[in-house]
Tab-separated table of all heavy atoms in Angstrom:
chain	number	residue	atom	x	y	z
A	1	ALA	N	8.284	-5.166	5.276
A	1	ALA	CA	7.257	-4.310	4.690
A	1	ALA	C	7.015	-3.165	5.664
A	1	ALA	O	6.713	-3.388	6.827
A	1	ALA	CB	5.968	-5.074	4.430
A	2	ARG	N	7.198	-1.949	5.198
A	2	ARG	CA	6.947	-0.788	6.058
A	2	ARG	C	6.369	0.318	5.195
A	2	ARG	O	6.612	0.378	3.984
A	2	ARG	CB	8.201	-0.295	6.774
A	2	ARG	CG	9.352	0.091	5.871
A	2	ARG	CD	10.191	-1.096	5.493
A	2	ARG	NE	11.491	-0.702	4.940
A	2	ARG	CZ	12.212	-1.495	4.155
A	2	ARG	NH1	11.773	-2.682	3.799
A	2	ARG	NH2	13.384	-1.090	3.715
A	3	GLY	N	5.595	1.160	5.825
A	3	GLY	CA	4.969	2.216	5.054
A	3	GLY	C	4.001	3.034	5.870
A	3	GLY	O	3.969	2.970	7.109
A	4	VAL	N	3.186	3.798	5.179
A	4	VAL	CA	2.253	4.735	5.806
A	4	VAL	C	0.891	4.592	5.137
A	4	VAL	O	0.799	4.419	3.914
A	4	VAL	CB	2.751	6.184	5.666
A	4	VAL	CG1	1.721	7.166	6.217
A	4	VAL	CG2	4.075	6.369	6.380
A	5	GLU	N	-0.154	4.668	5.956
A	5	GLU	CA	-1.515	4.673	5.428
A	5	GLU	C	-2.237	5.899	5.948
A	5	GLU	O	-2.262	6.152	7.162
A	5	GLU	CB	-2.268	3.408	5.828
A	5	GLU	CG	-3.695	3.371	5.282
A	5	GLU	CD	-4.424	2.076	5.580
A	5	GLU	OE1	-4.975	1.981	6.692
A	5	GLU	OE2	-4.414	1.183	4.729
A	6	LEU	N	-2.832	6.658	5.034
A	6	LEU	CA	-3.619	7.846	5.362
A	6	LEU	C	-5.049	7.621	4.910
A	6	LEU	O	-5.285	7.100	3.811
A	6	LEU	CB	-3.043	9.087	4.673
A	6	LEU	CG	-1.550	9.349	4.867
A	6	LEU	CD1	-1.104	10.542	4.016
A	6	LEU	CD2	-1.231	9.598	6.334
A	7	SER	N	-6.008	7.997	5.734
A	7	SER	CA	-7.406	7.793	5.360
A	7	SER	C	-8.275	8.901	5.938
A	7	SER	O	-7.919	9.561	6.916
A	7	SER	CB	-7.902	6.426	5.840
A	7	SER	OG	-7.954	6.376	7.245
A	8	ALA	N	-9.427	9.075	5.301
A	8	ALA	CA	-10.412	10.053	5.761
A	8	ALA	C	-11.798	9.471	5.545
A	8	ALA	O	-12.079	8.874	4.496
A	8	ALA	CB	-10.261	11.370	5.017
A	9	THR	N	-12.657	9.629	6.540
A	9	THR	CA	-14.050	9.198	6.459
A	9	THR	C	-14.929	10.397	6.756
A	9	THR	O	-14.733	11.076	7.767
A	9	THR	CB	-14.342	8.071	7.463
A	9	THR	OG1	-13.457	6.972	7.214
A	9	THR	CG2	-15.773	7.595	7.330
A	10	ALA	N	-15.882	10.661	5.872
A	10	ALA	CA	-16.735	11.837	6.043
A	10	ALA	C	-18.198	11.452	5.843
A	10	ALA	O	-18.519	10.596	5.009
A	10	ALA	CB	-16.348	12.932	5.052
A	11	SER	N	-19.058	12.097	6.626
A	11	SER	CA	-20.503	11.936	6.487
A	11	SER	C	-21.117	13.330	6.439
A	11	SER	O	-21.575	13.860	7.466
A	11	SER	CB	-21.079	11.128	7.657
A	11	SER	OG	-20.507	9.838	7.711
A	12	PRO	N	-21.120	13.972	5.269
A	12	PRO	CA	-21.650	15.336	5.165
A	12	PRO	C	-23.097	15.441	5.633
A	12	PRO	O	-23.506	16.461	6.171
A	12	PRO	CB	-21.519	15.647	3.668
A	12	PRO	CG	-20.456	14.704	3.173
A	12	PRO	CD	-20.610	13.472	3.992
A	13	ASN	N	-23.853	14.365	5.395
A	13	ASN	CA	-25.215	14.299	5.900
A	13	ASN	C	-25.547	12.840	6.167
A	13	ASN	O	-24.747	11.950	5.880
A	13	ASN	CB	-26.213	14.945	4.916
A	13	ASN	CG	-26.115	14.324	3.528
A	13	ASN	OD1	-26.350	13.120	3.358
A	13	ASN	ND2	-25.746	15.124	2.529
A	14	ARG	N	-26.720	12.593	6.717
A	14	ARG	CA	-27.048	11.227	7.123
A	14	ARG	C	-27.306	10.299	5.941
A	14	ARG	O	-27.432	9.084	6.121
A	14	ARG	CB	-28.262	11.245	8.038
A	14	ARG	CG	-29.533	11.746	7.403
A	14	ARG	CD	-30.658	11.858	8.410
A	14	ARG	NE	-31.917	12.255	7.789
A	14	ARG	CZ	-32.802	11.401	7.289
A	14	ARG	NH1	-32.551	10.108	7.350
A	14	ARG	NH2	-33.921	11.827	6.733
A	15	MET	N	-27.329	10.822	4.721
A	15	MET	CA	-27.595	10.002	3.543
A	15	MET	C	-26.349	9.714	2.718
A	15	MET	O	-26.409	8.917	1.776
A	15	MET	CB	-28.632	10.700	2.645
A	15	MET	CG	-29.905	11.098	3.362
A	15	MET	SD	-30.806	9.698	4.060
A	15	MET	CE	-31.435	8.961	2.575
A	16	LEU	N	-25.226	10.339	3.054
A	16	LEU	CA	-24.021	10.204	2.236
A	16	LEU	C	-22.820	9.875	3.106
A	16	LEU	O	-22.568	10.535	4.110
A	16	LEU	CB	-23.760	11.507	1.459
A	16	LEU	CG	-22.492	11.558	0.606
A	16	LEU	CD1	-22.550	10.529	-0.509
A	16	LEU	CD2	-22.286	12.970	0.035
A	17	ASP	N	-22.061	8.837	2.706
A	17	ASP	CA	-20.823	8.450	3.377
A	17	ASP	C	-19.687	8.429	2.349
A	17	ASP	O	-19.843	7.870	1.252
A	17	ASP	CB	-20.952	7.063	4.012
A	17	ASP	CG	-21.941	7.046	5.170
A	17	ASP	OD1	-22.016	8.056	5.884
A	17	ASP	OD2	-22.641	6.026	5.322
A	18	LEU	N	-18.554	9.012	2.740
A	18	LEU	CA	-17.382	9.070	1.865
A	18	LEU	C	-16.183	8.481	2.587
A	18	LEU	O	-15.986	8.702	3.776
A	18	LEU	CB	-17.070	10.519	1.473
A	18	LEU	CG	-18.202	11.334	0.836
A	18	LEU	CD1	-17.770	12.787	0.689
A	18	LEU	CD2	-18.595	10.746	-0.503
A	19	PHE	N	-15.374	7.727	1.844
A	19	PHE	CA	-14.146	7.159	2.406
A	19	PHE	C	-13.066	7.195	1.342
A	19	PHE	O	-13.293	6.842	0.180
A	19	PHE	CB	-14.362	5.714	2.859
A	19	PHE	CG	-13.082	5.022	3.266
A	19	PHE	CD1	-12.525	5.247	4.514
A	19	PHE	CD2	-12.420	4.180	2.382
A	19	PHE	CE1	-11.336	4.625	4.882
A	19	PHE	CE2	-11.238	3.551	2.735
A	19	PHE	CZ	-10.691	3.777	3.988
A	20	VAL	N	-11.868	7.633	1.737
A	20	VAL	CA	-10.725	7.648	0.837
A	20	VAL	C	-9.479	7.292	1.629
A	20	VAL	O	-9.337	7.684	2.794
A	20	VAL	CB	-10.558	9.023	0.145
A	20	VAL	CG1	-10.306	10.131	1.169
A	20	VAL	CG2	-9.452	8.980	-0.899
A	21	SER	N	-8.592	6.508	1.022
A	21	SER	CA	-7.352	6.124	1.696
A	21	SER	C	-6.220	6.035	0.693
A	21	SER	O	-6.430	5.747	-0.496
A	21	SER	CB	-7.508	4.777	2.413
A	21	SER	OG	-7.602	3.715	1.477
A	22	TYR	N	-5.026	6.294	1.193
A	22	TYR	CA	-3.801	6.164	0.401
A	22	TYR	C	-2.793	5.369	1.213
A	22	TYR	O	-2.610	5.614	2.417
A	22	TYR	CB	-3.205	7.538	0.054
A	22	TYR	CG	-1.771	7.458	-0.420
A	22	TYR	CD1	-1.466	7.032	-1.706
A	22	TYR	CD2	-0.709	7.765	0.441
A	22	TYR	CE1	-0.150	6.929	-2.136
A	22	TYR	CE2	0.602	7.669	0.021
A	22	TYR	CZ	0.880	7.242	-1.266
A	22	TYR	OH	2.173	7.140	-1.678
A	23	THR	N	-2.138	4.404	0.572
A	23	THR	CA	-1.157	3.554	1.244
A	23	THR	C	0.141	3.540	0.457
A	23	THR	O	0.131	3.284	-0.756
A	23	THR	CB	-1.672	2.112	1.381
A	23	THR	OG1	-2.919	2.119	2.080
A	23	THR	CG2	-0.677	1.259	2.157
A	24	PHE	N	1.236	3.829	1.154
A	24	PHE	CA	2.573	3.681	0.579
A	24	PHE	C	3.240	2.493	1.269
A	24	PHE	O	3.299	2.427	2.495
A	24	PHE	CB	3.417	4.934	0.796
A	24	PHE	CG	4.876	4.714	0.493
A	24	PHE	CD1	5.311	4.605	-0.820
A	24	PHE	CD2	5.805	4.593	1.519
A	24	PHE	CE1	6.650	4.378	-1.103
A	24	PHE	CE2	7.147	4.372	1.247
A	24	PHE	CZ	7.574	4.263	-0.073
A	25	THR	N	3.732	1.549	0.465
A	25	THR	CA	4.360	0.346	0.994
A	25	THR	C	5.733	0.167	0.388
A	25	THR	O	5.883	0.162	-0.840
A	25	THR	CB	3.513	-0.905	0.683
A	25	THR	OG1	2.198	-0.727	1.190
A	25	THR	CG2	4.134	-2.145	1.315
A	26	ASN	N	6.728	0.046	1.252
A	26	ASN	CA	8.096	-0.266	0.824
A	26	ASN	C	8.383	-1.686	1.290
A	26	ASN	O	8.647	-1.926	2.468
A	26	ASN	CB	9.084	0.725	1.428
A	26	ASN	CG	10.510	0.440	0.996
A	26	ASN	OD1	10.759	-0.392	0.118
A	26	ASN	ND2	11.469	1.123	1.597
A	27	SER	N	8.306	-2.645	0.365
A	27	SER	CA	8.412	-4.054	0.709
A	27	SER	C	9.591	-4.686	-0.020
A	27	SER	O	9.687	-4.591	-1.240
A	27	SER	CB	7.112	-4.784	0.340
A	27	SER	OG	7.173	-6.137	0.699
A	28	ASP	N	10.487	-5.303	0.743
A	28	ASP	CA	11.684	-5.929	0.172
A	28	ASP	C	11.847	-7.341	0.703
A	28	ASP	O	11.440	-7.658	1.820
A	28	ASP	CB	12.948	-5.113	0.516
A	28	ASP	CG	12.920	-3.728	-0.088
A	28	ASP	OD1	12.539	-3.609	-1.256
A	28	ASP	OD2	13.266	-2.767	0.620
A	29	GLN	N	12.471	-8.198	-0.126
A	29	GLN	CA	12.790	-9.564	0.257
A	29	GLN	C	14.260	-9.659	0.662
A	29	GLN	O	15.101	-8.883	0.192
A	29	GLN	CB	12.529	-10.526	-0.904
A	29	GLN	CG	11.113	-10.490	-1.442
A	29	GLN	CD	10.116	-11.074	-0.475
A	29	GLN	OE1	9.063	-10.512	-0.231
A	29	GLN	NE2	10.450	-12.215	0.095
A	30	ARG	N	14.568	-10.611	1.510
A	30	ARG	CA	15.974	-10.834	1.860
A	30	ARG	C	16.749	-11.412	0.689
A	30	ARG	O	17.930	-11.107	0.489
A	30	ARG	CB	16.066	-11.774	3.059
A	30	ARG	CG	15.619	-11.159	4.369
A	30	ARG	CD	15.895	-12.110	5.518
A	30	ARG	NE	15.504	-11.539	6.795
A	30	ARG	CZ	15.626	-12.160	7.947
A	30	ARG	NH1	16.128	-13.389	7.986
A	30	ARG	NH2	15.245	-11.592	9.074
A	31	THR	N	16.094	-12.290	-0.049
A	31	THR	CA	16.705	-12.881	-1.238
A	31	THR	C	15.755	-12.687	-2.406
A	31	THR	O	14.528	-12.652	-2.229
A	31	THR	CB	16.984	-14.384	-1.036
A	31	THR	OG1	15.753	-15.055	-0.702
A	31	THR	CG2	17.989	-14.605	0.078
A	32	PRO	N	16.247	-12.553	-3.632
A	32	PRO	CA	15.362	-12.359	-4.785
A	32	PRO	C	14.359	-13.502	-4.912
A	32	PRO	O	14.683	-14.668	-4.721
A	32	PRO	CB	16.329	-12.336	-5.972
A	32	PRO	CG	17.650	-11.935	-5.383
A	32	PRO	CD	17.675	-12.535	-4.007
A	33	GLN	N	13.121	-13.157	-5.246
A	33	GLN	CA	12.099	-14.176	-5.431
A	33	GLN	C	12.312	-14.970	-6.712
A	33	GLN	O	11.822	-16.088	-6.836
A	33	GLN	CB	10.706	-13.532	-5.438
A	33	GLN	CG	10.296	-12.978	-4.082
A	33	GLN	CD	8.943	-12.309	-4.120
A	33	GLN	OE1	8.853	-11.096	-4.259
A	33	GLN	NE2	7.884	-13.080	-4.004
A	34	VAL	N	13.000	-14.390	-7.661
A	34	VAL	CA	13.390	-15.083	-8.886
A	34	VAL	C	14.903	-15.138	-8.917
A	34	VAL	O	15.573	-14.105	-8.849
A	34	VAL	CB	12.848	-14.371	-10.142
A	34	VAL	CG1	13.365	-15.049	-11.413
A	34	VAL	CG2	11.324	-14.370	-10.130
A	35	ALA	N	15.449	-16.339	-8.978
A	35	ALA	CA	16.894	-16.524	-8.890
A	35	ALA	C	17.623	-15.745	-9.977
A	35	ALA	O	17.151	-15.624	-11.111
A	35	ALA	CB	17.229	-18.011	-9.001
A	36	ASP	N	18.772	-15.185	-9.606
A	36	ASP	CA	19.670	-14.478	-10.526
A	36	ASP	C	19.057	-13.193	-11.089
A	36	ASP	O	19.603	-12.610	-12.019
A	36	ASP	CB	20.096	-15.383	-11.691
A	36	ASP	CG	20.795	-16.653	-11.224
A	36	ASP	OD1	21.525	-16.574	-10.220
A	36	ASP	OD2	20.609	-17.706	-11.850
A	37	SER	N	17.923	-12.739	-10.541
A	37	SER	CA	17.332	-11.506	-11.050
A	37	SER	C	17.952	-10.278	-10.405
A	37	SER	O	17.967	-9.195	-10.997
A	37	SER	CB	15.819	-11.504	-10.804
A	37	SER	OG	15.542	-11.437	-9.408
A	38	GLY	N	18.466	-10.433	-9.175
A	38	GLY	CA	19.024	-9.304	-8.450
A	38	GLY	C	17.981	-8.350	-7.914
A	38	GLY	O	18.321	-7.321	-7.325
A	39	ILE	N	16.696	-8.668	-8.084
A	39	ILE	CA	15.611	-7.794	-7.637
A	39	ILE	C	15.106	-8.278	-6.285
A	39	ILE	O	14.583	-9.385	-6.168
A	39	ILE	CB	14.462	-7.779	-8.662
A	39	ILE	CG1	14.958	-7.220	-9.990
A	39	ILE	CG2	13.292	-6.958	-8.144
A	39	ILE	CD1	13.906	-7.242	-11.084
A	40	ILE	N	15.280	-7.449	-5.258
A	40	ILE	CA	14.824	-7.826	-3.926
A	40	ILE	C	13.483	-7.187	-3.584
A	40	ILE	O	12.888	-7.503	-2.553
A	40	ILE	CB	15.862	-7.450	-2.850
A	40	ILE	CG1	16.076	-5.931	-2.808
A	40	ILE	CG2	17.166	-8.179	-3.088
A	40	ILE	CD1	16.944	-5.480	-1.647
A	41	THR	N	12.994	-6.272	-4.439
A	41	THR	CA	11.677	-5.697	-4.211
A	41	THR	C	10.628	-6.793	-4.270
A	41	THR	O	10.638	-7.631	-5.170
A	41	THR	CB	11.364	-4.629	-5.281
A	41	THR	OG1	12.341	-3.587	-5.204
A	41	THR	CG2	9.988	-4.037	-5.061
A	42	SER	N	9.716	-6.811	-3.304
A	42	SER	CA	8.662	-7.825	-3.294
A	42	SER	C	7.809	-7.698	-4.547
A	42	SER	O	7.369	-6.604	-4.919
A	42	SER	CB	7.789	-7.673	-2.055
A	42	SER	OG	8.542	-7.883	-0.877
A	43	LEU	N	7.576	-8.821	-5.191
A	43	LEU	CA	6.828	-8.828	-6.431
A	43	LEU	C	5.327	-8.787	-6.159
A	43	LEU	O	4.851	-9.212	-5.115
A	43	LEU	CB	7.185	-10.074	-7.245
A	43	LEU	CG	8.678	-10.257	-7.549
A	43	LEU	CD1	8.905	-11.529	-8.356
A	43	LEU	CD2	9.243	-9.049	-8.279
A	44	VAL	N	4.587	-8.234	-7.109
A	44	VAL	CA	3.124	-8.169	-7.109
A	44	VAL	C	2.586	-7.177	-6.075
A	44	VAL	O	1.377	-7.021	-5.934
A	44	VAL	CB	2.487	-9.564	-6.893
A	44	VAL	CG1	1.015	-9.555	-7.291
A	44	VAL	CG2	3.189	-10.634	-7.704
A	45	ILE	N	3.451	-6.495	-5.338
A	45	ILE	CA	3.009	-5.515	-4.343
A	45	ILE	C	3.332	-4.109	-4.844
A	45	ILE	O	4.506	-3.719	-4.910
A	45	ILE	CB	3.679	-5.754	-2.986
A	45	ILE	CG1	3.350	-7.156	-2.466
A	45	ILE	CG2	3.245	-4.697	-1.976
A	45	ILE	CD1	4.009	-7.487	-1.153
A	46	PRO	N	2.339	-3.315	-5.248
A	46	PRO	CA	2.611	-1.952	-5.712
A	46	PRO	C	3.043	-1.047	-4.567
A	46	PRO	O	2.650	-1.257	-3.411
A	46	PRO	CB	1.271	-1.505	-6.312
A	46	PRO	CG	0.252	-2.333	-5.593
A	46	PRO	CD	0.905	-3.644	-5.295
A	47	ASP	N	3.837	-0.039	-4.881
A	47	ASP	CA	4.284	0.905	-3.855
A	47	ASP	C	3.161	1.838	-3.412
A	47	ASP	O	3.110	2.244	-2.252
A	47	ASP	CB	5.454	1.739	-4.385
A	47	ASP	CG	6.695	0.906	-4.626
A	47	ASP	OD1	6.806	-0.186	-4.031
A	47	ASP	OD2	7.555	1.342	-5.419
A	48	HIS	N	2.284	2.204	-4.332
A	48	HIS	CA	1.243	3.191	-4.030
A	48	HIS	C	-0.129	2.594	-4.351
A	48	HIS	O	-0.312	1.950	-5.392
A	48	HIS	CB	1.444	4.463	-4.856
A	48	HIS	CG	2.815	5.048	-4.724
A	48	HIS	ND1	3.176	5.883	-3.684
A	48	HIS	CD2	3.928	4.908	-5.501
A	48	HIS	CE1	4.444	6.236	-3.822
A	48	HIS	NE2	4.921	5.655	-4.914
């Protein structure tokens, strides 16, 4: 599993807090999680 995470935290004033993040994940298995599928991409893990 390898990728990049970008985030920003802002406090425009003492009453407001903002947080945003983006994560890209490239996750692969050595062997398919479902036999004979030929799919090595890790299941249930979104790329973005």
